[in-house]
């Protein structure tokens, strides 16, 4: 398939940066580089191809790992020197097992100086922010902080609350009350995040496990 490259500005090495974005979640997954050939193969096959600057060769994302990216659209910016590629991501994007390559915070206004706290760009922002607050309260929470109280009370208390909230969610569902389910499951999710923070496990690690299962050929766990 022929594409018109005249509006694109490749650098001196014939490369152009490509930002890869999940079309479903709007999460920025990764940044890689394309040349004319890899861009043409991307359009021709419908899956992302890049140019590896370290190996000096073309590479098809997910060819060996199964974490492929089905291309839905390609746009270029107003200067013509950057591409935005929206994809359907299968599995995880990062070679370290994270859903997104952008998983390491440099600064976050919600938690200020209390960094680093690993964030999870694959989560809705409210969950990422809540987890960051929980990690902050774990260390810096005052006497009136319920979150600090849970950590001070220890693992058994945290596990007890997870069990209680799970039971209340079940009851809400049996009552066929959507509003009750939303309310009780919100409590359950909060306490699950507390449990993850107790073990210093990020929500992203759990989601990476789920994404890895999805990417396997044998989905026997589902």
């Amino acid at each position: 398939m022929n594409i018109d490259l005249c509006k694109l500005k490749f650098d001196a090495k014939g490369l152009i940066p490509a930002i890869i974005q999940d079309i479903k979640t709007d999460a920025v997954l990764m940044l890689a580089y394309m040349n004319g050939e890899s861009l043409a193969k991307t359009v021709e096959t419908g899956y992302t191809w890049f140019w590896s600057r370290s190996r000096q060769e073309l590479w098809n994302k997910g060819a060996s790992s199964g974490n492929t990216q089905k291309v839905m659209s390609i746009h270029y910016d107003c200067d013509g020197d950057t591409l935005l590629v929206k994809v359907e991501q299968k599995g995880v994007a990062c070679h370290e097992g994270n859903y997104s390559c952008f998983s390491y915070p440099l600064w976050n206004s919600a938690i200020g100086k209390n960094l680093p706290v690993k964030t999870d760009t694959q989560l809705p922002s409210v969950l990422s922010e809540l987890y960051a607050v929980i990690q902050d309260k774990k260390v810096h929470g005052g006497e009136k902080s319920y979150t600090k109280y849970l950590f001070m009370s220890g693992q058994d208390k945290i596990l007890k609350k997870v069990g209680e909230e799970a039971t209340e969610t079940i009851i809400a569902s049996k009552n066929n009350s959507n509003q009750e389910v939303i309310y009780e499951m919100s409590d359950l999710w909060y306490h699950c995040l507390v449990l993850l923070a107790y073990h210093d496990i990020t929500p992203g690690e759990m989601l990476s496990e789920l994404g890895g299962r999805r990417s396997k050929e044998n989905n026997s766990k589902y």
Side-chain angles (χ1 to χ4, degrees), residues 71-113:
V71 178
M72 307 307 294
S73 68
I74 303 175
H75 293 78
Y76 59 88
D77 71 342
C78 54
D79 293 322
D81 59 4
T82 305
L83 299 176
L84 175 63
V85 185
K86 295 190 177 184
V87 303
E88 288 185 352
Q89 176 68 46
K90 181 180 180 182
V92 299
C94 180
H95 72 284
E96 293 185 347
N98 298 317
Y99 180 65
S100 168
C101 293
F102 296 94
S103 299
Y104 300 97
L106 182 63
W107 184 79
N108 188 321
S109 63
I111 51 179
K113 65 181 180 180

Side-chain angles (χ1 to χ4, degrees), residues 3 29 44 51 62 79 87 89 196 215-216 220:
I3 54 176
L29 301 176
E44 179 182 357
W51 176 257
D79 293 322
V87 303
Q89 176 68 46
L196 288 177
S215 67
K216 292 178 180 178
S220 59

Side-chain angles (χ1 to χ4, degrees), residues 34-222:
M34 291 182 173
N35 59 13
E37 184 179 0
S38 65
L39 178 55
K41 289 182 74 69
T42 295
V43 173
E44 179 182 357
T45 64
Y47 288 86
T48 53
W49 284 76
F50 304 107
W51 176 257
S52 172
R53 294 178 297 170
S54 59
R55 300 191 304 271
Q56 290 293 294
E57 64 182 14
L58 292 173
W59 61 285
N60 177 205
K61 175 66 176 176
S64 58
S65 67
N67 297 325
T68 56
Q69 296 171 338
K70 184 178 180 180
V71 178
M72 307 307 294
S73 68
I74 303 175
H75 293 78
Y76 59 88
D77 71 342
C78 54
D79 293 322
D81 59 4
T82 305
L83 299 176
L84 175 63
V85 185
K86 295 190 177 184
V87 303
E88 288 185 352
Q89 176 68 46
K90 181 180 180 182
V92 299
C94 180
H95 72 284
E96 293 185 347
N98 298 317
Y99 180 65
S100 168
C101 293
F102 296 94
S103 299
Y104 300 97
L106 182 63
W107 184 79
N108 188 321
S109 63
I111 51 179
K113 65 181 180 180
N114 302 315
L115 292 176
V117 175
K118 191 172 182 180
T119 59
D120 299 292
T121 54
Q122 63 270 45
L123 289 174
S125 60
V126 64
L127 291 183
S128 294
E129 292 168 6
L130 177 56
Y131 183 76
V133 170
I134 289 171
Q135 285 281 30
D136 180 50
K137 295 295 184 181
K138 177 181 178 181
V139 178
H140 303 285
E143 294 181 358
K144 295 183 179 181
S145 169
Y146 174 67
T147 303
K148 181 69 173 181
Y149 159 74
L150 289 175
F151 286 113
M152 291 293 293
S153 299
Q155 184 182 36
D156 287 347
K157 179 65 174 180
I158 295 172
L159 293 174
K160 181 180 178 182
K161 290 302 299 182
V162 171
E164 289 176 355
E165 299 302 340
T167 299
E168 291 176 7
T169 300
I170 292 170
I171 294 172
S173 178
K174 293 294 289 184
N175 289 340
N176 291 315
S177 170
N178 288 358
Q179 190 58 44
E180 286 184 35
V181 170
I182 292 171
Y183 182 86
E184 298 299 345
M185 189 165 286
S186 295
D187 283 346
L188 175 59
W189 281 26
Y190 161 77
H191 286 91
C192 286
L193 288 173
V194 171
L195 181 58
L196 288 177
Y198 174 84
H199 290 284
D200 287 321
I201 299 171
T202 70
E205 291 178 79
M206 181 184 65
L207 293 182
S208 293
E209 168 65 19
L210 292 174
R213 294 181 188 182
R214 185 179 64 179
S215 67
K216 292 178 180 178
E217 293 182 3
N218 180 8
N219 283 330
S220 59
K221 292 187 178 181
Y222 295 106

